[in-house]
Amino acid sequence: MLKRYLLAPGPTPVPPEVLLAMAKPVMHHRAPEFAQLFGEVRNDLKWLFQTGNDVLTLASSGTGGMEGAVANFLSPGDKALVVNGGKFGERWGKICKTFGVQVVELKVEWGYAVDPQAVAEALKKDPSIKAVYVQASETSTGVAHHTKRLAEVIKPYEGTILVVDAITALGVFDLKTDAWGLDVVVAGSQKAMMLPPGLAFVSVSDKAWQLADKAKNGAFYFNLKKERESQSNNQTAYTPAVSMILGLQEVLRMLKAEGLDAVFARHARLAHAMREGVKAAGLSLFPKESPSDALTAISAPGSVDGQAIYKNLRVQYGITAAGGQDHLKGKIFRVSHMGYMDTFDVILTLAAIEMVLKGLGHPVKLGSGVAKAQELLMA
Ligand SMILES: *Cc1c(COP(=O)(O)O)cnc(C)c1O
């Protein structure tokens, strides 16, 4: 037997309580029990998103939420500024182009966070930009962009909204939707939200709804205005993923019992121990600045192929991590510490990395990274 460990930056492990909640009999989505369940979940989602705005739940992967965050607010010919510092930034650009939106691309070298000043200059140069698209945490590089500072830059522009892909940020680190002025925040179920893949969430500010009122709107299924109409009555426009919403209820209860600050502190503590452990094992972090607390991207050392590390983790030790994408393929590998994660997930990850590297002929001292993490994580 090879025991399996899911340590990829999505999907992530699901707590047993949540799996059990999802195993309950399927209820009908127009029955009063569903409206009661959905009402509770809608309230708790506002708590998690730190907002008084609507948080809409969609039956799709995270990308469906991203598509909705383009199609509903912009019309063909409108201009959007897209921060592209990795695979998911690139995806914002592709979605915009699909809907005929003119893309002003702000390229950021992989491994770096966007300079808010560069966004300020782009907006000054072209105030007709209606939306700025960014990732709070760019999962392909393990970098967190400076969401709060970006919001400060964008706030004075009355006709411009900030759209944040928070799919590996919500439930990991602090994102104050209302206090910072994040107009649209997109999340997904299978990252820090401790659920299987299948739900997307989108919060929408008044400023963004005003833009939506003027937009032509190319969406049918991902029509957020239609969803708002239904969801404000604790219904959904189409059949919701009922079983997943039962799981979500359990997740939100767990997160509320832990408390938002404690959830963020746990992620910060695990991420810090992982990064220090990686360094103590003689490896280097891929991000050059602003590492995300959701995952750690690690540079493959010397002559070792990053894909071989990722593959051997899986084949030899049953651990699913992730490799690098595009030009980073073979150069980095990525491990997650978001969601249903605690002390020993970090320790076992570091132990396995050391064992795989040694097996591949890299001179690593077994236990060096583990010892560092143990020191940092001791109660
Ligand atoms: C996982 C992820 C997505 C969404 O991917 P789906 O496969 O559609 O769920 C989008 N953005 C980021 C930053 C992600 O990590």
Side-chain angles (χ1 to χ4, degrees):
M1 186 196 87
L2 192 60
K3 186 168 171 181
R4 298 276 170 190
Y5 299 90
L6 192 50
L7 298 170
T12 66
V14 178
E17 303 89 305
V18 177
L19 291 170
L20 276 174
M22 290 189 300
K24 284 181 196 161
V26 174
M27 62 171 86
H28 194 276
H29 58 287
R30 303 298 180 212
E33 299 92 286
F34 179 79
Q36 200 186 343
L37 161 72
F38 200 44
E40 177 186 325
V41 160
R42 285 179 57 239
N43 261 327
D44 291 349
L45 281 170
K46 288 184 190 194
W47 166 82
L48 181 61
F49 276 70
Q50 304 190 58
T51 186
N53 297 331
D54 298 292
V55 181
L56 303 170
T57 300
L58 305 167
S60 75
S61 83
T63 306
M66 293 173 76
E67 178 161 337
V70 173
N72 287 268
F73 303 108
L74 300 177
S75 307
D78 282 351
K79 244 183 233 168
L81 181 69
V82 170
V83 174
N84 177 359
K87 260 325 241 194
F88 292 103
E90 187 181 287
R91 185 170 300 176
W92 274 136
K94 285 183 182 169
I95 298 170
C96 283
K97 283 174 194 157
T98 301
F99 287 93
V101 171
Q102 284 187 64
V103 174
V104 181
E105 193 178 58
L106 190 53
K107 272 230 179 221
V108 180
E109 193 185 332
W110 288 31
Y112 291 85
V114 68
D115 178 2
Q117 198 50 41
V119 173
E121 276 157 29
L123 282 175
K124 208 162 151 195
K125 211 168 105 192
D126 192 348
S128 73
I129 289 168
K130 286 193 174 159
V132 177
Y133 289 90
V134 71
Q135 269 63 38
S137 165
E138 172 53 76
T139 317
S140 63
T141 62
V143 168
H145 290 300
H146 307 293
T147 308
K148 185 183 179 197
R149 285 165 61 201
L150 292 172
E152 284 162 8
V153 163
I154 292 151
K155 217 172 188 172
Y157 291 86
E158 272 172 30
T160 309
I161 59 167
L162 172 59
V163 183
V164 181
D165 167 358
I167 295 176
T168 55
L170 190 93
V172 176
F173 51 82
D174 199 13
L175 272 186
K176 295 192 192 299
T177 302
D178 288 0
W180 297 353
L182 315 179
D183 294 298
V184 179
V185 177
V186 181
S189 54
Q190 82 274 28
K191 307 285 173 89
M193 291 181 77
M194 308 192 286
L195 285 161
L199 292 179
F201 307 96
V202 188
S203 79
V204 185
S205 71
D206 286 340
K207 189 176 174 185
W209 283 128
Q210 280 168 29
L211 199 60
D213 281 336
K214 284 180 239 144
K216 193 160 160 275
N217 200 342
F220 182 85
Y221 183 72
F222 294 114
N223 187 317
L224 300 181
K225 268 205 249 177
K226 196 169 160 65
E227 284 300 339
R228 177 175 57 167
E229 254 178 61
S230 299
Q231 297 195 14
S232 59
N233 295 314
N234 295 331
Q235 293 288 316
T236 53
Y238 311 105
T239 312
V242 173
S243 302
M244 291 209 50
I245 292 171
L246 280 166
L248 175 61
Q249 178 184 41
E250 189 58 36
V251 163
L252 289 165
R253 284 177 180 168
M254 288 172 70
L255 292 175
K256 276 174 73 179
E258 187 177 2
L260 216 42
D261 289 341
V263 169
F264 300 150
R266 172 167 53 85
H267 282 90
R269 177 174 158 270
L270 298 179
H272 177 66
M274 180 69 82
R275 293 192 285 260
E276 292 306 310
V278 162
K279 288 192 268 178
L283 302 170
S284 40
L285 304 172
F286 175 71
K288 308 296 174 267
E289 57 186 13
S290 192
S292 169
D293 285 346
L295 73 153
T296 296
I298 303 161
S299 298
S303 55
V304 181
D305 177 10
Q307 289 301 101
I309 300 171
Y310 152 72
K311 192 180 156 207
N312 284 5
L313 280 169
R314 179 166 48 83
V315 175
Q316 298 178 323
Y317 300 110
I319 293 177
T320 304
Q325 293 161 293
D326 288 357
H327 67 274
L328 291 183
K329 193 165 181 176
K331 302 247 166 41
I332 67 165
F333 60 103
R334 295 170 296 147
V335 290
S336 155
H337 25 77
M338 72 182 126
Y340 187 51
M341 293 282 178
D342 209 343
T343 301
F344 290 96
D345 297 296
V346 168
I347 288 177
L348 86 84
T349 305
L350 286 164
I353 291 171
E354 291 174 355
M355 288 155 84
V356 161
L357 283 173
K358 193 165 176 107
L360 286 167
H362 181 72
V364 61
K365 185 165 175 285
L366 290 181
S368 50
V370 169
K372 185 73 198 174
Q374 284 174 313
E375 262 170 46
L376 292 170
L377 294 171
M378 260 181 77

